[in-house]
């Protein structure tokens, strides 16, 4: 694994995507949640001080030590929307740790959309591990390096989940999309409401170089920071969505499709310079043939193996 990355300018895709990320327009039926962790979330693990909400609810610190990690979940459930979170990851030797920001429904046949950040030794780049689960099945991993140091400052990680596609972006640059291909039998996250989660936990047996580098607990506690959570999304409550099928909210979620060319150019740029693993061409993972969506997405290239 390289200790440094090529000096590639990110300005081109960021400029293109600035328009895309503003597609979700204002609407009375789409709820906006901003900032306050004490108002929007509840601590699910780490109430003993490992999870700390600070600065009048505007900052969240999640910590991991050898005894336990910590996590939060949103009080609201959502069915489609855009979700932004700023993170500053664990600095220096973070090997074996996983810091996450993701959406998930409940139950064994759950849907899930993941950002997971795999820690590493000091000086080595973080790995951004992404995955999409539908009906309880995952296995759609794509992994990337970043074009900046994610421990030096806060950066914005976004999940856009619409009836037509899922988009993952970093500072406005799309790194991945997963389209709704239910018409050809590919399951999609279209019916189950999801909550927003954030966590830090110990995954030393697989997170860093496949478990070759274990956690140095002398460095604990490991702390990641979160701020500026923003959800522009349809709240699900009592079996109903706050966005009706004919509302401007739902229409605005779908209009992201007119930006296809922007998404494709950004993904090409990221894959060329920073992708390190793609599930689609992994013959060991799929000996009976690659998943159907890989043909549609054009993702059979970049057979980069695993880290």
């Amino acid at each position: 694994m390289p200790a440094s990355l090529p000096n590639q300018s990110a300005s081109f895709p960021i400029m293109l995507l600035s328009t895309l990320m503003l597609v979700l327009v204002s609407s009375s039926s789409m709820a906006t949640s901003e900032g306050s962790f004490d108002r929007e979330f509840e601590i699910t693990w780490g109430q003993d001080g490992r999870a700390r909400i600070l600065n009048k609810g505007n900052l969240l610190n999640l910590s991991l030590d050898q005894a336990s990690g910590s996590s939060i979940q949103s009080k609201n459930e959502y069915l489609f929307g855009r979700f932004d979170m700023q993170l500053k990851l664990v600095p220096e030797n973070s090997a074996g740790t996983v810091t996450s920001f993701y959406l998930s429904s409940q139950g064994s046949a759950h849907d899930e959309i993941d950002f997971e950040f795999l820690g590493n030794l000091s000086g080595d780049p973080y790995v951004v591990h992404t995955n999409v689960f539908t009906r309880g099945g995952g296995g759609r991993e794509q992994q990337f390096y970043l074009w900046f140091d994610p421990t030096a400052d806060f950066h914005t990680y976004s999940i856009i989940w619409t009836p037509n596609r899922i988009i993952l972006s970093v500072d406005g640059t799309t790194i991945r999309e997963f389209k709704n291909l239910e018409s050809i039998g590919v399951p999609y996250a279209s019916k189950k409401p999801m909550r927003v989660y954030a966590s830090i936990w110990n995954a030393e047996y697989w997170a860093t170089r496949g478990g070759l580098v274990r956690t140095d607990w002398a460095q604990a506690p490991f702390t990641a920071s979160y701020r500026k959570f923003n959800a522009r999304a349809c709240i699900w409550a009592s079996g109903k969505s706050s966005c009706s099928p004919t509302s401007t909210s739902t229409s605005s979620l779908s209009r992201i499709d007119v930006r296809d060319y922007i998404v494709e150019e950004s993904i090409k740029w990221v894959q060329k310079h920073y992708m390190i693993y793609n599930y689609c061409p992994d013959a060991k993972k799929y000996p009976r043939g690659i998943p159907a969506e890989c043909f549609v997405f054009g993702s059979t290239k970049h057979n980069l193996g695993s880290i």
Side-chain angles (χ1 to χ4, degrees):
M1 180 178 294
S4 62
L5 296 171
N7 184 19
Q8 301 292 342
S9 171
S11 60
F12 173 64
I14 288 176
M15 290 171 61
L16 285 177
L17 266 292
S18 61
T19 303
L20 169 66
M21 302 308 289
L22 297 176
V23 165
L24 303 184
V25 297
S26 299
S27 170
S28 58
S29 60
M30 182 178 288
T32 300
S33 302
E34 294 185 358
S36 179
F37 287 100
D38 50 3
R39 185 175 64 246
E40 302 294 338
F41 290 86
E42 56 188 3
I43 297 172
T44 52
W45 201 256
Q47 294 93 335
D48 54 3
R50 292 180 178 88
R52 300 181 65 198
I53 298 174
L54 307 167
N55 294 356
K56 299 181 179 180
N58 294 317
L59 177 68
L60 169 71
N61 283 346
L62 294 180
S63 294
L64 165 71
D65 57 30
Q66 197 164 6
S68 178
S70 51
S71 64
I72 61 168
Q73 70 176 30
S74 64
K75 295 178 181 179
N76 287 323
E77 289 185 295
Y78 304 94
L79 188 64
F80 305 126
R82 172 182 167 180
F83 307 87
D84 301 319
M85 186 80 81
Q86 289 195 354
L87 279 75
K88 183 163 67 171
L89 300 180
V90 178
E92 300 178 351
N93 185 353
S94 58
T97 69
V98 174
T99 304
S100 72
F101 163 51
Y102 64 102
L103 307 181
S104 182
S105 63
Q106 300 296 309
S108 57
H110 73 293
D111 298 329
E112 185 172 323
I113 307 167
D114 291 339
F115 271 115
E116 293 183 327
F117 304 90
L118 313 186
N120 225 318
L121 294 171
S122 300
D124 285 347
Y126 260 82
V127 172
V128 181
H129 178 98
T130 69
N131 204 350
V132 176
F133 287 75
T134 55
R135 301 180 190 173
R140 302 185 180 98
E141 299 93 345
Q142 290 184 354
Q143 296 180 336
F144 310 86
Y145 291 137
L146 292 168
W147 46 94
F148 52 82
D149 179 359
T151 73
D153 202 352
F154 287 91
H155 292 267
T156 301
Y157 304 89
S158 302
I159 299 171
I160 300 177
W161 172 36
T162 83
N164 299 322
R165 68 181 64 197
I166 293 162
I167 289 176
L168 301 180
S169 78
V170 177
D171 287 339
T173 297
T174 295
I175 65 170
R176 179 174 187 176
E177 71 169 336
F178 186 86
K179 295 179 181 178
N180 184 341
L181 298 174
E182 290 180 308
S183 61
I184 63 170
V186 178
Y188 185 76
S190 60
K191 299 177 176 63
K192 298 174 184 177
M194 296 198 263
R195 296 186 190 273
V196 182
Y197 295 85
S199 65
I200 185 170
W201 50 288
N202 174 26
E204 64 177 340
Y205 290 97
W206 70 271
T208 305
R209 299 183 188 176
L212 294 177
V213 183
R214 298 299 178 91
T215 303
D216 179 2
W217 293 109
Q219 306 293 322
F222 303 97
T223 300
S225 298
Y226 298 72
R227 71 179 188 185
K228 293 188 177 180
F229 169 71
N230 184 78
R232 184 127 193 90
C234 303
I235 294 176
W236 185 267
S238 302
K240 296 181 180 179
S241 172
S242 62
C243 303
S244 69
T246 58
S247 71
T248 55
S249 301
T250 305
S251 298
S252 67
L253 285 168
S254 298
R255 279 206 301 274
I256 206 168
D257 290 326
V258 305
R259 304 296 198 270
D260 275 1
Y261 70 99
I262 299 176
V263 172
E264 290 174 3
E265 288 303 311
S266 177
I267 290 174
K268 288 179 182 177
W269 181 84
V270 173
Q271 287 189 351
K272 178 180 179 181
H273 298 297
Y274 300 107
M275 176 179 269
I276 57 173
Y277 176 77
N278 182 6
Y279 73 104
C280 278
D282 192 337
K284 292 183 180 179
K285 189 178 185 69
Y286 296 103
R288 297 183 180 179
I290 67 172
E293 69 265 18
C294 295
F295 292 100
V296 179
F297 295 169
S299 298
T300 57
K301 300 178 181 179
H302 306 290
N303 190 0
L304 301 170
S306 57
I307 59 173

